[in-house]
Amino acid sequence: MKDLTQGNTFKTFFVFGMPLVLSGLLSQSYNIIDTMIAGKCIGEDGLAAVGGTAGLVQLTSAFMWGYSSGFCIYVARMFGNKDYYGIKKCVIHNLLALLFACLLIGGGMILFQDQIFTILNVEERLWEETVLYFLVYIVGLYFIILNDCFLKIFNAIGDSKMSCYMSCLAAVLNIGGNLLAVVVLKLGVLGLALASVISAAIVDLCYFLRMIRIFLQMGVLHLKIGFDPAVLSHSAGYAVPTSLQQVTMYFSSAAVFPYVNAIGAPATAAYTVAMKIFDINACMYQGSSMTVSNYTAQCVGSHKLHKLGKGLTVGAALAASCLVPLLILCAVFPRQISMFFFDRGVNEEALGYTVLFMRYYLPFLIFNLINNLFHAFYRGTRATGLLILVTFIGAASRIAATVIMAPRSGMNGVFGAWVISWVVEAIITLILYFAGAWRSRVLQEL
């Protein structure tokens, strides 16, 4: 456990943030390794089956990710204020709340799966495998969501090393499970889904055991906790707005999928790979963003408001130094990197779409780095109104641009609309920040 507001800010961000960068890269292995093995061992149709519902799965997960991010900001504030019993109550209540949400939302998605697949324009010949992957993944969604939730809890209390260790374990289990299920047992897309869920469950158990030890160190392990609606109510003030922000952001991704699927299986396969390449690059700055978020929340909790600006500046420098080298690598070697996801007999159309994205559109990700950092800052200051506003503007601009551009320009329109949303949101975000729109919310919290 570590108080991020103490000591040299540059050193603190580097020591705390770099394990988060590695954790983010390793955490992405769940879906990235699925994608690579699907492309190499099952083929283009396997990629399309895994990716056909990816937008919807991301949208569903986004609600949970946002909820976790929100209540963990509350945890970080309580840690800054040394309210350890409050942390225990918050964690236990919200883990149960996430379980209920997964059961409710997952059950509804399974019940209406036929209608969902029709809306997503999933090709009829891919329906059976897509359903198989989708059902197993949704049934095990809680275990996968818990991985992300525990990671954020430990980050909130300044323990980024635990997150890094568990991400390493998850990567090893997932790689081994995928190879066993797909290469040895020949289970196809079913094996991919099973490996992800089982590896997540094992990692959750390790996180849970470590959480017990943390409660012991805090001196609250044996303090009894009864159900208290006030805990959920207070947590919801942090968690629900962040969930809405995440859902808004990922809704735009889900809304794009019918346009991509309508272009054909090569486009779906290419877009699936493009999203994974986006995820890999985004991991390079998301660790810095999480550090900014927790640092900001701890500063507010300990009334050290004079340090807020410095944390944002250091976070931006760390994020850019991690992202730019990878962006250059992707732009220079797009075909070679794309082939990690495809077999030798890949449809040239699918490969061409992926290369197009990496060479001409991915470099604009630097604008999304700006957005991500300020999202984290606004979460830390609990300026949720601004957070939702800028996210809505970005999502609306992407959907509108896709509707206009995709029918005329195909995948160029899909990728171009994505970039437009990054640029528009970055401009609005910077204007609002320098106008000081977030300061009144911080003062209200004190």
Side-chain angles (χ1 to χ4, degrees):
M1 296 183 292
K2 181 177 177 58
D3 185 341
L4 302 179
T5 67
Q6 295 182 354
N8 183 281
T9 306
F10 287 91
K11 181 180 179 181
T12 297
F13 267 63
F14 182 83
V15 172
F16 185 81
M18 290 311 295
L20 292 184
V21 173
L22 180 58
S23 296
L25 287 169
L26 292 170
S27 295
Q28 286 298 330
S29 67
Y30 280 107
N31 291 320
I32 291 171
I33 292 171
D34 283 357
T35 305
M36 294 175 68
I37 292 179
K40 291 286 187 182
C41 301
I42 307 176
E44 186 181 312
D45 285 354
L47 272 177
V50 171
T53 58
L56 178 62
V57 170
Q58 277 192 334
L59 178 62
T60 305
S61 301
F63 175 81
M64 316 296 178
W65 296 336
Y67 191 95
S68 298
S69 296
F71 90 76
C72 285
I73 292 300
Y74 184 34
V75 169
R77 289 197 178 191
M78 286 189 289
F79 184 77
N81 199 32
K82 302 188 186 316
D83 182 7
Y84 300 138
Y85 183 58
I87 291 174
K88 181 180 178 180
K89 290 194 297 181
C90 180
V91 168
I92 292 176
H93 277 73
N94 284 289
L95 290 183
L96 291 174
L98 283 172
L99 174 60
F100 177 77
C102 281
L103 291 174
L104 184 64
I105 297 174
M109 292 173 68
I110 292 173
L111 184 63
F112 296 102
Q113 64 178 11
D114 290 348
Q115 293 87 338
I116 289 171
F117 279 34
T118 300
I119 293 172
L120 291 176
N121 283 329
V122 175
E123 286 194 39
E124 188 174 343
R125 65 187 179 85
L126 302 174
W127 195 290
E128 183 177 349
E129 286 196 324
T130 305
V131 167
L132 193 60
Y133 183 85
F134 177 75
L135 287 179
V136 174
Y137 200 91
I138 292 300
V139 168
L141 183 62
Y142 183 64
F143 297 111
I144 295 171
I145 293 299
L146 275 189
N147 273 200
D148 175 75
C149 184
F150 275 124
L151 181 146
K152 289 171 180 173
I153 290 171
F154 279 90
N155 291 343
I157 61 176
D159 189 356
S160 62
K161 290 183 179 179
M162 179 63 183
S163 302
C164 187
Y165 296 150
M166 290 299 97
S167 296
C168 288
L169 177 61
V172 170
L173 292 173
N174 205 50
I175 292 171
N178 277 309
L179 293 175
L180 174 63
V182 177
V183 179
V184 178
L185 300 179
K186 308 294 183 183
L187 294 178
V189 295
L190 172 62
L192 295 175
L194 286 173
S196 293
V197 172
I198 293 172
S199 62
I202 294 172
V203 171
D204 289 336
L205 177 60
C206 296
Y207 266 128
F208 181 74
L209 294 175
R210 176 62 177 169
M211 196 75 246
I212 292 176
R213 185 176 179 85
I214 290 292
F215 286 152
L216 181 62
Q217 293 174 354
M218 290 178 171
V220 297
L221 178 62
H222 300 295
L223 296 181
K224 294 183 179 180
I225 293 176
F227 177 69
D228 185 357
V231 174
L232 287 177
S233 176
H234 205 128
S235 299
Y238 293 83
V240 172
T242 311
S243 283
L244 293 175
Q245 179 259 337
Q246 288 287 305
V247 168
T248 301
M249 183 168 58
Y250 280 95
F251 176 78
S252 64
S253 181
V256 166
F257 258 86
Y259 291 91
V260 175
N261 290 339
I263 297 173
T268 302
Y271 189 69
T272 301
V273 173
M275 286 203 308
K276 303 311 174 189
I277 293 171
F278 165 84
D279 288 340
I280 293 170
N281 280 270
C283 282
M284 304 309 292
Y285 55 78
Q286 286 171 347
S288 297
S289 296
M290 283 190 282
T291 307
V292 167
S293 186
N294 290 309
Y295 174 87
T296 302
Q298 288 190 13
C299 282
V300 174
S302 57
H303 296 186
K304 299 176 181 178
L305 303 186
H306 61 285
K307 293 189 173 185
L308 291 178
K310 188 172 185 179
L312 189 56
T313 302
V314 175
L318 178 62
S321 65
C322 291
L323 174 64
V324 172
L326 186 55
L327 281 181
I328 294 173
L329 189 65
C330 289
V332 175
F333 302 105
R335 188 179 183 90
Q336 293 86 339
I337 294 174
S338 297
M339 287 306 298
F340 281 110
F341 296 89
F342 295 109
D343 61 16
R344 293 181 181 274
V346 61
N347 184 309
E348 278 296 323
E349 186 180 5
L351 181 59
Y353 287 144
T354 309
V355 171
L356 176 73
F357 172 73
M358 295 177 68
R359 180 171 289 161
Y360 298 109
Y361 296 99
L362 188 62
F364 288 93
L365 191 63
I366 197 73
F367 287 97
N368 199 50
L369 179 154
I370 296 170
N371 299 329
N372 203 265
L373 282 172
F374 281 96
H375 287 178
F377 181 78
Y378 292 146
R379 279 195 297 269
T381 57
R382 207 184 171 192
T384 51
L386 294 179
L387 181 63
I388 294 173
L389 174 63
V390 296
T391 304
F392 175 80
I393 291 172
S397 62
R398 182 181 181 185
I399 293 172
T402 301
V403 171
I404 294 170
M405 298 167 62
R408 300 176 182 178
S409 305
M411 290 305 288
N412 270 304
V414 171
F415 294 145
W418 206 356
V419 169
I420 287 172
S421 70
W422 297 339
V423 175
V424 169
E425 185 177 344
I427 292 172
I428 299 299
T429 295
L430 289 173
I431 291 173
L432 290 173
Y433 174 76
F434 287 111
W438 52 274
R439 288 192 178 93
S440 59
R441 184 60 183 176
V442 174
L443 295 176
Q444 289 176 13
E445 291 290 306
L446 299 179

